[in-house]
Amino acid sequence: NLDLGYHKTKTPGEMVERIDGDIETLSNFFARFAVDLASNGILMLGIIILLYREDWRIGLVLTLFVLGALGFLNWLRKIPVPLIAQAREQAAKFFGFVGEQLQGTEDVRANGAAPYVMRRFYQRMQEWYPIQVRSGLWGFSMWPATEALFFIATLLLFIVGAWLWQKGALTVGAIYLVWSYTERLREPLEQMRTQLQELQRAAASIGRLHGILNIKSRLADDGKGALPTGALAVVFDKVSFAYEGDDLAIADLSFALKPGQTLGLLGRTGSGKSTLARLLLRFFDVTEGEVRLAGAPLDSVPLRHLRSRVGLVTQEVQLFAATVRQNLTFFDPSIPDERILAVLAELGLNDWLAALPNGLETELASGGGLSAGEGQLLALGRLFLADPGLVILDEASSRLDPATEARLEQALTKLLAGRTAIIIAHRLATVQRADRILILERGRKLEEGDREALAADPDSRFASLLRTGLAEVLA
Ligand code: ATP
Ligand code: MG
């Protein structure tokens, strides 16, 4: 449920380690703690009662000893909790790093960066290791502490015993009996120590989990409205947005799009095009101004509803290690085969599907194992099935071969019929289908207008872009 801003600051590996690792520690703890604590408590109580039966003074001394020992161990256990939390955090960072590097293996190897990655790997290890050692040593300190406590207990026992024996209150045999009872206290106390050590780790985990549960999404989701079916009108009303700090990624931007119109969005790299798309899906909330769909401010409708009515194809299409069908339907089993097949036919992917060994049930490898063009066509298929009222395409800037491009164009024509669309265009062909053109520069509107009017006006930026060729100017 958290906003994308949060997810961009944490690597997936870090999140997994943080959630899974900490919960694992906690569940191990709770699975045994209650049972062990109860049984050891009963055992201790029994031994102490027997000691009182022998002699109340001995009983009293050892009761005080047990209470003192438990109190001391409990105090000792709290000391390393922050250290353990630190160690767990380092572990999470470390696994976040490993996950990120593994995911980037292709780029890392291609750039000959493996030695650098390995060096950072060792650096991370070196940061983690001392904390791990210190927190481990503190946890381990409970063992010598219990040993010392037992030494004191035995000493106390013999002193009190000797005194009582001199007074003739106890026989040597009775003292031996008491001593052997005391030795029996050792086992439950040791077990309690282990449990307290577990409690140390659990306490650190609870703290960290509490931290996660307390993170609130920056997106309020209390809208109750609904968007109409069919094409949606889009309005940006003096919108400004900054990811962090004061650097505006979108600055004072206003434009309107009627239902069914297609907007061609142009601009150099980093001019804020993808950012504009993210605002429409409410991955982030605007800093100032308002975005409205069909007249309704974005935060007046529930997030789920909004995202079911607005479809986005990002620059890098993500395919999952699952079947073709699951990749198309996003794991929604209720979509019937006929619809999926119809969509694939519309996309001109029939031949491709026929060539797959198991048709729709063919497993795609993790990362897809598809070409960039095929990936984009599949992503369009997803949109078809979701049937949104506003389509946003963040075109990949990579070139497609003419055949794939032609298929993509055909598919687009069908997809855009009866929908409003914003196309972040890198190719001339996509610009040609736009009704309106918006050119961004550093988040500001540089030019906006009807495509045909702009193309006809020799002084417009758009006309000069067309003359020089989009790719050369926008790259
Ligand atoms: P491209 O054509 O290369 O895809 P773009 O127009 O889509 O570029 P955006 O991705 O919208 O550009 O980025 C606009 C600005 O916002 C850039 O200066 C970028 O550095 C910044 N930016 C993008 N994403 C983030 C983020 N998650 N956190 C902080 N700043 C960001
Ligand atoms: Mg972009």
Side-chain angles (χ1 to χ4, degrees):
N1 285 326
L2 292 178
D3 54 290
L4 268 192
Y6 179 80
H7 285 288
K8 296 256 174 199
T9 59
K10 302 274 180 215
T11 58
E14 185 175 347
M15 291 303 288
V16 168
E17 170 62 17
R18 187 155 177 194
I19 293 172
D20 185 61
D22 284 326
I23 289 184
E24 173 94 18
T25 315
L26 262 193
S27 65
N28 281 350
F29 171 69
F30 280 118
R32 297 191 42 210
F33 186 67
V35 178
D36 282 2
L37 202 68
S39 62
N40 285 325
I42 291 172
L43 188 57
M44 275 190 174
L45 197 71
I47 292 173
I48 287 176
I49 290 173
L50 286 175
L51 286 174
Y52 270 105
R53 260 192 47 178
E54 237 15 78
D55 187 283
W56 67 269
R57 282 158 294 199
I58 296 243
L60 186 68
V61 168
L62 279 160
T63 311
L64 289 179
F65 164 73
V66 166
L67 289 180
L70 283 178
F72 176 69
L73 287 179
N74 193 35
W75 171 78
L76 199 61
R77 129 191 115 75
K78 287 189 189 132
I79 297 176
V81 168
L83 272 176
I84 294 174
Q86 256 183 43
R88 304 260 333 130
E89 189 169 324
Q90 285 291 342
K93 285 223 179 91
F94 178 77
F95 287 113
F97 170 80
V98 170
E100 196 179 53
Q101 300 305 325
L102 282 179
Q103 198 170 27
T105 308
E106 195 172 332
D107 282 347
V108 168
R109 290 206 183 147
N111 290 296
Y116 300 100
V117 170
M118 286 314 290
R119 202 175 75 200
R120 284 185 61 207
F121 177 87
Y122 291 125
Q123 279 170 354
R124 300 278 160 130
M125 277 275 195
Q126 276 162 7
E127 282 165 26
W128 182 16
Y129 182 68
I131 299 178
Q132 182 73 32
V133 167
R134 265 196 300 159
S135 78
L137 274 183
W138 264 108
F140 178 72
S141 72
M142 294 187 94
W143 176 65
T146 20
E147 286 300 312
L149 284 174
F150 266 93
F151 176 74
I152 295 171
T154 317
L155 202 68
L156 274 180
L157 179 83
F158 282 131
I159 292 172
V160 178
W163 175 63
L164 288 174
W165 173 72
Q166 267 183 347
K167 283 183 49 173
L170 277 182
T171 62
V172 173
I175 291 175
Y176 175 79
L177 182 76
V178 170
W179 176 75
S180 79
Y181 276 147
T182 319
E183 278 298 300
R184 298 218 124 209
L185 272 180
R186 186 185 276 268
E187 201 181 326
L189 246 159
E190 292 249 306
Q191 279 191 12
M192 283 205 171
R193 164 178 65 82
T194 340
Q195 253 130 49
L196 287 174
Q197 262 171 326
E198 297 247 331
L199 187 61
Q200 276 175 344
R201 264 176 259 145
S205 290
I206 288 179
R208 285 164 50 79
L209 287 171
H210 210 65
I212 285 200
L213 291 175
N214 273 340
I215 299 167
K216 290 274 174 295
S217 174
R218 277 184 265 172
L219 303 173
D221 190 13
D222 45 19
K224 295 278 181 290
L227 295 172
T229 52
L232 300 168
V234 180
V235 173
F236 268 61
D237 189 0
K238 300 208 180 79
V239 170
S240 294
F241 172 73
Y243 281 100
E244 270 146 48
D246 299 331
D247 282 349
L248 289 181
I250 298 280
D252 196 27
L253 180 68
S254 299
F255 70 88
L257 208 55
K258 297 200 187 79
Q261 279 190 327
T262 298
L263 175 76
L265 187 54
L266 304 173
R268 287 174 185 279
T269 281
S271 55
K273 305 180 300 290
S274 299
T275 307
L276 189 150
R278 291 181 194 132
L279 291 181
L280 274 165
L281 279 132
R282 256 192 105 205
F283 289 156
F284 301 91
D285 269 337
V286 298
T287 319
E288 261 174 69
E290 196 170 61
V291 183
R292 289 189 291 272
L293 283 183
L298 287 189
D299 54 8
S300 72
V301 294
L303 273 177
R304 274 182 71 103
H305 179 63
L306 173 71
R307 290 176 187 165
S308 72
R309 299 291 296 129
V310 181
L312 170 69
V313 177
T314 53
Q315 273 171 303
E316 291 140 27
V317 174
Q318 178 74 51
L319 294 170
F320 301 99
T323 63
V324 172
R325 175 207 305 279
Q326 289 165 334
N327 266 296
L328 276 167
T329 61
F330 270 110
F331 305 94
D332 177 355
S334 69
I335 299 179
D337 277 15
E338 299 85 69
R339 258 193 83 199
I340 302 177
L341 292 175
V343 163
L344 286 177
E346 286 205 79
L347 290 171
L349 283 175
N350 272 346
D351 297 342
W352 176 76
L353 185 70
L356 292 176
N358 292 322
L360 282 180
E361 304 307 329
T362 307
E363 288 277 342
L364 295 182
S366 168
L370 297 184
S371 77
E374 287 165 341
Q376 279 183 8
L377 283 167
L378 274 192
L380 290 186
R382 283 175 178 168
L383 278 199
F384 263 113
L385 289 169
D387 195 18
L390 168 64
V391 172
I392 307 168
L393 298 179
D394 203 343
E395 264 190 351
S397 33
S398 60
R399 303 276 157 83
L400 301 173
D401 67 79
T404 315
E405 189 161 326
R407 276 204 300 198
L408 207 63
E409 286 309 312
Q410 270 182 356
L412 273 182
T413 308
K414 296 208 173 106
L415 178 65
L416 300 190
R419 298 179 224 272
T420 315
I422 297 179
I423 306 184
I424 300 172
H426 291 273
R427 297 173 304 138
L428 214 52
T430 16
V431 176
Q432 296 302 354
R433 69 169 65 242
D435 303 304
R436 294 187 64 79
I437 293 290
L438 172 62
I439 305 181
L440 286 181
E441 189 169 271
R442 295 192 190 174
R444 289 177 195 283
K445 179 159 75 180
L446 194 65
E447 190 168 88
E448 191 213 352
D450 275 336
R451 177 179 58 83
E452 283 171 1
L454 287 178
D457 175 2
D459 295 332
S460 73
R461 285 295 297 250
F462 181 60
S464 75
L465 280 181
L466 289 183
R467 275 197 304 275
T468 38
L470 276 188
E472 281 70 25
V473 182
L474 291 178

